[in-house]
Amino acid sequence: MKAIGIVYFSNTGITEALVEGCCNELASDPVEVITHKITGAEIIEGRFVNYEIMEKLQQCQAIIFASPTYMGSVAAQFKAFADATSDKWCDQRLSGKIAAGITSGGSPNGDQTETLRYFQILASQHGMVWMGIDNPSNYNALGVNRLGCQAGVVATSEDGKPDAKDINTAKYLARRIYNFIQ
């Protein structure tokens, strides 16, 4: 069975709601969705330590990275995970897999694209192939890509909840990845 991994950190629940949108989109498909929420207990002396999830990710055909944007980049918790992947980098254990990204922020232009760029560089270092959004904003009837970011899913929240169109964009990305790995 094919597998899609989603590794994420979420503090307020916005990023987690987007990840749940991906999972819900793929719930009835013959694909294993492996989700892992990064927790503080897994960060030991500044380094992410969870050998089990690292092994599972190597078996996936695609990995989605997700983190809120804090101060123009990924959250420190996600960065600890990313740094720990360097053990896989040496042997290019993630090479050839599809990679994609999801981020959220509190304002429409909160530098969320910098977080997606971070994910893209991480994926490139691992030899992964980046997948973005192939629908321009405001030019489709699907209700996706509300904020017009082609690099990945960008979401904002004004009331502590993600916009429904941003969740639709996360679902759209999950479906796009699924169709590609089939």
Side-chain angles (χ1 to χ4, degrees), residues 137-178:
S137 66
N138 302 316
Y139 292 97
N140 63 71
L142 299 173
V144 300
N145 202 11
R146 173 179 72 97
L147 297 172
C149 184
Q150 302 304 129
V153 178
V154 171
T156 61
S157 170
E158 293 181 21
D159 59 358
K161 297 176 186 165
D163 188 285
K165 289 182 180 178
D166 297 340
I167 291 176
N168 284 344
T169 307
K171 290 178 177 181
Y172 181 85
L173 179 63
R175 176 64 48 203
R176 184 165 192 240
I177 291 168
Y178 174 77

Side-chain angles (χ1 to χ4, degrees), residues 65-129:
F65 303 124
S67 171
T69 297
Y70 289 162
M71 302 307 294
S73 190
V74 297
Q77 294 86 342
F78 188 90
K79 179 68 165 92
F81 160 79
D83 288 349
T85 67
S86 65
D87 294 343
K88 306 302 176 202
W89 170 78
C90 296
D91 297 325
Q92 289 292 286
R93 295 272 185 88
L94 302 177
S95 182
K97 297 179 185 314
I98 300 299
I102 295 172
T103 191
S104 60
S107 63
N109 189 13
D111 296 317
Q112 290 94 329
T113 55
E114 291 303 315
T115 298
L116 293 175
R117 284 188 191 123
Y118 178 86
F119 293 150
Q120 288 174 321
I121 291 168
L122 176 64
S124 293
Q125 288 176 331
H126 282 290
M128 300 172 82
V129 179

